[in-house]
Amino acid sequence: MTGISAKSARTMAKSNAFYAQSGGVTAVINASAAGVIETARANRSRIGRVFAGRNGIIGALTEDLIDTNREPARAIAALMHTPAGAFGSCRYKLEGLDENRAQYERLIDVFRAHDIGYFFYNGGNDSADTCLKVSQIAGMLGYPLTAVHVPKTVDNDLAVTDNCPGFGSVAKYVATSMREAAFDVASMARTSTKVFVLEVMGRHAGWITAAVGLADDAATPVPLVLLFPEIAFDEAKFLRIVDERTNRFGYCCIGVSEGLKNAEGHLMAEAGTTDAFGHAQLGGVGPRIAKLVKDRLDYKYHWAVADYLQRAARHLASKTDLDQSYAVGKAAVEMALAGHNAVMPSIVRVSDKPYRWKIGVAQLADVANKEKMLPRNFITPDGYGITDRARAYLVPLIRGESPPPYRDGLPQYVRLKNVAVTQRLAAKFTI
Amino acid sequence: MTGISAKSARTMAKSNAFYAQSGGVTAVINASAAGVIETARANRSRIGRVFAGRNGIIGALTEDLIDTNREPARAIAALMHTPAGAFGSCRYKLEGLDENRAQYERLIDVFRAHDIGYFFYNGGNDSADTCLKVSQIAGMLGYPLTAVHVPKTVDNDLAVTDNCPGFGSVAKYVATSMREAAFDVASMARTSTKVFVLEVMGRHAGWITAAVGLADDAATPVPLVLLFPEIAFDEAKFLRIVDERTNRFGYCCIGVSEGLKNAEGHLMAEAGTTDAFGHAQLGGVGPRIAKLVKDRLDYKYHWAVADYLQRAARHLASKTDLDQSYAVGKAAVEMALAGHNAVMPSIVRVSDKPYRWKIGVAQLADVANKEKMLPRNFITPDGYGITDRARAYLVPLIRGESPPPYRDGLPQYVRLKNVAVTQRLAAKFTI
C-alpha cells in the first residue's frame, strides 16, 4: 500500500472506483449500476477496476468489496432489465462527522487499501448527505477522492433534479394497476364490489399517490379519490365524496398513501387501537380506509397493498425512467473524470411537449438532506385529485416500455457472481 | 312477437345470440367475448345479432340487453387486450329450477321476445350449472335454444377441462410479482426486510398458490414457503421452516392463499378476534402471517395483498391464456352451429413438451357444480412447495406475452358503447 498516499493529482492518475447502492431499491437502480460500470470500462486508461460494496456502504466499512471486473459484459448489460440491487443495498445511515468520525476514517482506510479514487454512491437524500461527508473527510485527511452521488429514489423527493430515477417506473406501475383494477370493479359493481382501495408508497411526499391519478384520463375516466400525505385526513368530507362518486358512477376507486395523516399529524397506519380502524400492528392504511367505507357507507369493498411489488416491477418499467437511470450512472463517471467533485448528475427538464431532458450538474450541498415536496398546485383544490399541471409533469416520466426478456413465461433477471475482492486490511470493522 | 314460437328447427333457421359474463372477471375474459362475437359475425347467415347481458345474467332477467352490432370491428378486436368484463358481470346465482322456476321462465320470455336461439354463458362452476338449467327449462317449455357454456375462472377449478381461461394470466402475474419482490428482499435483507409475504387468490383450491412457486427455478432460486388452502396451517412447523430458510438464505418469501385454514378447518382470515392475529374484519391472511413471523421470530417483514391487481393485470397476460380464451369463445359458437347443446368447449392437453393443446367438447352435466382440486402430488411432501409434476403442468400455461397497446405510458383499454336494445316486454322483472 505504500505509494498510494503519494499520489497528488488523482484526476490525472489511474485509480479504482467504488460503487454502492443505498436505501430502498427500485426497478431500475441496476441500470444506473450498468451506466457506472460500462462507462468506467470505456475509460480504462483512467479508471482501473470498479469495486461494488456488498450490501451498500456496509461493504466498504467491512471491506467486503465485490470485483465487478469478474462479470462479463453481457451480465452488466443484463442489469438494464433486472430490478432491485444487484450488489445488495442497505438501510444504514452514517452518523455525522462529529458523532462518528471513525466510520468515515475507516472508509478512507478501505479506499486507500484498494487504491480507490472514485466514490459513486447511488441513493436518495441520506446518501447524498453521506456522499458529501465522505468527500469532506477525504479532503480533511488529504486523501484524493472524487465523490459523485447517483440519484435514486421511488419517493421522487430529491432536490434540484426535476425527477428521480426509480420514480417513473413506480408511477407507471401504480397508474396501470389502478386502471386495471378500476376496469375490474366497474364490471362487478352492479352486484359486488363498489369501492376499491389501493395503498401505495411514499410516506412523506405524495408523488406516488399523484401518479395513481393518471389512471383516470379523458379516454378512460375513472371515479378516483386520492388521499395524499400532504392533506390531513378529513373523515366526514372523505366519506361524503366517496358516497357521492359511488352513487353517481356506480363505483369508486381510492388511492391512499401509506403516509396518510390525521388532523393531529399522526400517521393513520399507526393510529393505534384507540380509533375506529382496528388493530394498528397489522399495518396498512389501505385496509383501514376500506373498512371505514364499509362501516359508515356499507359498500362492499376490496383493497390491495402493492408494497414491494410496485418498486420491484421491472416487467412494467418506464422506458424514460430506465434511460434516465442509465444516464445518471454514465454521467456520474463522466463528471468524475472531468474533475467534478461532491456533485450529483441531475435531470433537467427542457420542455414538456415534446418532453425533452438533459443531464445537469447539481452541487451535493444543494441536494443533501433536502426534501422536495409535491407542490400544492399539483393537487386539486378539494384535496382529492391531481391537476393538469401534475399531469404535464408526470406523464412524460412514465412514457415508454422496455420489457425484460422472458423465458417460460417469466422475466429472466440476472444474478451476478459477486466475487469478493481479497481483503487487505488487518483491522476488522463491526457494524 | 308472433311467429317466433312457430320456429321448429332452430339450428337451420337464423336467430340471435345472447352472451353474458358471469362471476369474477379476469384479464382475458373479453378475449372470449371477442371469440364469440367475431365468430358469430363470420356466420351471419345463421346468427343474426349478438346481444350481451348488461351485468351478466341480470341483463337477461331485466331485459337490459346490449346490442354488440353497434360496436365496430376494431372495438371488438380491442377486447383482446382489455381486462375485466366489457359488458359487466355479476355475482347472482339463479336458484334451482324447483325453487325459482319463474326466473328461468322469465329468461325464456326475454329470449323469445328478442328471437334469441343461442345462449353463450361465460363463467365458472355456478354458471355452468345455470347454463345447463337454462338448457333444460328451454326444453321443458318447448323453446328451441342452444346453450353453450364458455369456461372462465382464475380459480382453475372447472372439471373436465385441463385448465381454465383466466388462470394462466393470474399465474403469470403472481409468479412474476413474487420473483420481482424476492429480488428486492434479497438485496435489502442484510439490514432490513428478511421475510416477505404475498397473499394470493384461490379460496378453495391452491392452483394460484402453486403458481407462486414458479418464481423459484433453477436459474434464479428463491427461498419460498407456500401456504396452500389444501394443507391445514401448522404454526410450529411453519415457523420452523421460515426460520430455517431465513437463516440459511438470509431471507424468505412466503406465498399464502386467501383460503388458508387452520387445523379445525376455519379460514385463518376469519379466525376472529380470539386468536393471536388481530382484528378479523380487516381481512387479509397475508398481514396476519407476516405479523406472526414478526411476533415469534422477530424478523423484519413486509407484506403485499395483490387482490384485484392479480386478476385484472392484462398488461402481463399469458399469451397461451389469451389464445385459449379466444379459442373457447370461437369454439362455443362453432359447437352451437354444429348442433351441440348443453356443452362446454374444454381445453385438452395433447402434450407437455412441446406443449400442445386442442379444443374438446365437454358435456355440461359433467362440469356443472364440480370442483377440480389441486392434486396432492403437485405439492411437495412437506406441504410447502410444488413438485416437478406441478411445474410441468403450470409452465405452459403462463408462457408467452401479448402486451396491450400503450399511450402516454399507460395501457389503452377499450370501453364499448354498450347501446341498449329497445325493450319489448311489458312485464318488468326486479332483481
Side-chain angles (χ1 to χ4, degrees):
Chain A
M1 281 163 281
T2 51
I4 290 171
S5 59
K7 284 188 181 166
S8 53
R10 173 69 68 192
T11 54
M12 299 311 293
K14 180 169 175 171
S15 66
N16 297 319
F18 174 80
Y19 166 81
Q21 301 176 321
S22 175
V25 293
T26 81
V28 293
I29 183 174
N30 285 333
S32 293
V36 166
I37 295 167
E38 291 182 351
T39 310
R41 288 184 179 187
N43 288 277
R44 284 186 207 273
S45 63
R46 308 279 301 282
I47 300 175
R49 289 164 175 269
V50 178
F51 299 131
R54 194 185 305 275
N55 301 312
I57 200 71
I58 289 178
L61 290 168
T62 59
E63 206 193 349
D64 191 356
L65 307 181
I66 290 164
D67 187 354
T68 70
N69 278 38
R70 302 287 290 269
E71 307 293 344
R74 71 170 185 285
I76 300 302
L79 292 177
M80 289 297 285
H81 63 251
T82 298
F87 308 107
S89 184
C90 68
R91 294 202 181 277
Y92 184 82
K93 191 168 160 55
L94 275 74
E95 294 163 76
L97 270 173
D98 296 337
E99 291 84 40
N100 202 337
R101 190 180 170 107
Q103 280 193 323
Y104 292 91
E105 289 176 348
R106 168 70 181 184
L107 280 181
I108 301 301
D109 285 346
V110 172
F111 290 171
R112 183 180 285 118
H114 293 276
D115 194 17
I116 288 165
Y118 302 98
F119 175 56
F120 300 110
Y121 203 35
N122 202 169
N125 294 307
D126 284 355
S127 64
D129 181 55
T130 301
C131 191
L132 179 59
K133 290 205 177 81
V134 168
S135 164
Q136 290 166 343
I137 192 82
M140 290 180 214
L141 297 174
Y143 181 77
L145 185 77
T146 301
V148 180
H149 187 248
V150 186
K152 170 256 23 167
T153 171
V154 297
D155 292 334
N156 202 42
D157 59 355
L158 281 168
V160 186
T161 186
D162 181 66
N163 61 288
C164 303
F167 169 68
S169 295
V170 174
K172 187 184 186 85
Y173 178 93
V174 298
T176 298
S177 296
M178 182 56 104
R179 174 170 291 185
E180 292 178 330
F183 269 70
D184 190 308
V185 176
S187 58
M188 301 300 297
R190 175 72 173 79
T191 54
S192 182
T193 301
K194 286 188 170 52
V195 173
F196 174 75
V197 180
L198 174 63
E199 176 183 323
V200 299
M201 286 181 159
R203 183 150 286 224
H204 301 297
W207 295 102
I208 299 175
T209 310
V212 176
L214 298 177
D216 164 43
D217 65 15
T220 47
V222 169
L224 270 186
V225 174
L226 303 178
L227 296 173
F228 294 93
E230 288 87 354
I231 308 284
F233 183 64
D234 179 334
E235 184 178 300
K237 192 176 160 197
F238 165 74
L239 290 170
R240 205 160 51 236
I241 196 168
V242 169
D243 199 27
E244 183 187 297
R245 290 189 191 181
T246 309
N247 278 319
R248 186 164 156 209
F249 300 98
Y251 73 105
C252 179
C253 293
I254 300 165
V256 54
S257 163
E258 61 177 346
L260 182 67
K261 297 178 194 72
N262 63 19
E264 290 75 44
H266 299 306
L267 282 174
M268 298 290 288
E270 291 174 0
T273 52
T274 53
D275 72 7
F277 294 95
H279 197 294
Q281 278 178 281
L282 282 180
V285 65
R288 284 153 208 272
I289 291 295
K291 184 170 183 313
L292 178 70
V293 168
K294 172 69 182 169
D295 288 349
R296 306 294 169 82
L297 303 175
D298 201 28
Y299 290 130
K300 190 175 177 212
Y301 67 90
H302 262 243
W303 54 267
V305 176
D307 194 61
Y308 286 165
L309 272 49
Q310 70 199 283
R311 74 178 197 194
R314 177 61 187 85
H315 76 270
L316 192 60
S318 153
K319 177 69 161 59
T320 303
D321 190 27
L322 185 73
D323 291 345
Q324 294 179 340
S325 297
Y326 184 87
V328 293
K330 180 170 184 280
V333 175
E334 292 169 345
M335 285 178 193
L337 291 175
H340 287 291
N341 189 16
V343 295
M344 178 188 91
S346 66
I347 297 161
V348 178
R349 185 178 297 226
V350 178
S351 65
D352 276 340
K353 285 188 180 183
Y355 177 58
R356 289 209 182 90
W357 59 277
K358 64 179 183 182
I359 295 291
V361 184
Q363 297 302 312
L364 271 190
D366 298 333
V367 176
N369 286 324
K370 293 200 174 67
E371 212 170 13
K372 189 174 73 176
M373 304 307 286
L374 185 70
R376 183 58 181 85
N377 65 12
F378 275 31
I379 305 175
T380 49
D382 72 0
Y384 296 113
I386 57 169
T387 60
D388 288 345
R389 194 183 283 251
R391 288 177 188 277
Y393 171 81
L394 292 167
V395 165
L397 307 183
I398 69 168
R399 218 176 262 148
E401 293 71 50
S402 183
Y406 283 79
R407 192 171 59 219
D408 274 350
L410 292 180
Q412 291 305 296
Y413 297 137
V414 71
R415 281 209 179 126
L416 302 181
K417 293 194 293 262
N418 285 349
V419 178
V421 176
T422 306
Q423 297 193 337
R424 295 184 173 184
L425 294 176
K428 298 297 168 200
F429 191 92
T430 308
I431 296 296
Chain B
M1 280 163 284
T2 52
I4 290 171
S5 59
K7 284 187 180 167
S8 52
R10 174 68 70 193
T11 53
M12 298 311 293
K14 180 169 176 171
S15 66
N16 298 317
F18 174 79
Y19 166 82
Q21 301 176 321
S22 176
V25 292
T26 80
V28 294
I29 184 174
N30 285 333
S32 293
V36 167
I37 294 167
E38 291 182 351
T39 311
R41 287 184 179 188
N43 289 277
R44 283 185 207 273
S45 63
R46 308 277 303 282
I47 299 176
R49 290 164 174 269
V50 178
F51 300 131
R54 193 185 306 276
N55 301 312
I57 200 71
I58 289 177
L61 290 168
T62 59
E63 205 194 351
D64 190 357
L65 307 181
I66 290 164
D67 187 355
T68 70
N69 279 39
R70 302 288 290 270
E71 307 293 342
R74 69 170 185 286
I76 300 303
L79 291 178
M80 289 296 286
H81 63 250
T82 298
F87 308 107
S89 184
C90 68
R91 294 201 181 279
Y92 184 82
K93 190 165 161 60
L94 275 75
E95 294 163 76
L97 271 173
D98 296 336
E99 290 83 40
N100 202 338
R101 188 178 170 109
Q103 278 193 325
Y104 292 91
E105 290 177 348
R106 166 71 181 185
L107 279 181
I108 301 302
D109 285 346
V110 172
F111 291 170
R112 183 179 286 120
H114 294 274
D115 194 17
I116 289 165
Y118 302 97
F119 175 54
F120 300 109
Y121 203 33
N122 201 171
N125 293 308
D126 283 355
S127 64
D129 181 56
T130 301
C131 191
L132 179 59
K133 290 205 178 81
V134 169
S135 164
Q136 291 166 342
I137 192 81
M140 289 179 213
L141 297 173
Y143 180 77
L145 184 77
T146 302
V148 180
H149 188 248
V150 186
K152 171 256 22 167
T153 171
V154 297
D155 291 334
N156 202 42
D157 59 357
L158 282 169
V160 185
T161 187
D162 179 67
N163 61 288
C164 303
F167 169 68
S169 295
V170 174
K172 187 183 186 83
Y173 178 92
V174 298
T176 298
S177 296
M178 182 56 104
R179 173 170 292 185
E180 293 179 329
F183 269 69
D184 190 308
V185 177
S187 58
M188 301 300 297
R190 175 73 172 78
T191 55
S192 184
T193 301
K194 286 189 169 51
V195 173
F196 174 75
V197 180
L198 174 63
E199 176 182 323
V200 300
M201 287 180 159
R203 183 149 286 224
H204 301 296
W207 294 102
I208 299 176
T209 309
V212 176
L214 297 177
D216 164 43
D217 64 16
T220 47
V222 168
L224 270 185
V225 175
L226 303 178
L227 296 173
F228 293 92
E230 287 87 354
I231 308 283
F233 184 63
D234 180 335
E235 185 178 300
K237 192 175 161 199
F238 165 73
L239 290 170
R240 203 159 54 235
I241 195 168
V242 169
D243 199 27
E244 182 188 297
R245 291 191 191 180
T246 309
N247 279 319
R248 184 162 157 212
F249 300 98
Y251 72 106
C252 179
C253 293
I254 300 165
V256 55
S257 163
E258 60 176 347
L260 182 67
K261 296 178 194 71
N262 61 20
E264 289 76 43
H266 299 306
L267 282 174
M268 298 289 289
E270 291 174 359
T273 51
T274 53
D275 72 8
F277 293 97
H279 197 293
Q281 279 179 281
L282 283 179
V285 65
R288 285 153 207 271
I289 291 296
K291 185 171 181 312
L292 179 69
V293 168
K294 171 70 181 168
D295 288 348
R296 305 295 168 82
L297 303 176
D298 201 28
Y299 289 130
K300 191 177 176 211
Y301 67 90
H302 261 244
W303 55 267
V305 176
D307 194 63
Y308 285 165
L309 272 50
Q310 70 199 283
R311 75 178 197 194
R314 177 59 187 84
H315 77 270
L316 192 59
S318 153
K319 178 68 161 61
T320 303
D321 190 28
L322 184 73
D323 290 346
Q324 292 178 340
S325 297
Y326 185 87
V328 292
K330 180 170 185 279
V333 175
E334 292 169 346
M335 285 178 192
L337 291 176
H340 288 288
N341 190 16
V343 296
M344 178 188 90
S346 66
I347 297 162
V348 178
R349 185 179 297 228
V350 179
S351 66
D352 276 340
K353 285 188 179 184
Y355 177 59
R356 290 211 182 89
W357 59 277
K358 64 179 183 182
I359 295 290
V361 183
Q363 297 302 312
L364 271 190
D366 297 334
V367 176
N369 286 324
K370 294 200 172 67
E371 213 171 14
K372 189 174 72 177
M373 303 309 284
L374 185 70
R376 184 57 181 87
N377 66 11
F378 275 31
I379 305 175
T380 50
D382 71 1
Y384 296 112
I386 57 169
T387 60
D388 288 345
R389 193 183 284 250
R391 288 177 187 277
Y393 171 81
L394 291 167
V395 166
L397 307 182
I398 69 167
R399 218 177 263 148
E401 293 71 51
S402 183
Y406 283 79
R407 191 171 61 218
D408 275 349
L410 292 179
Q412 291 305 295
Y413 297 136
V414 72
R415 280 205 179 130
L416 302 181
K417 293 194 293 265
N418 284 350
V419 178
V421 176
T422 305
Q423 297 193 336
R424 295 183 172 184
L425 292 176
K428 299 297 167 199
F429 191 92
T430 309
I431 297 295

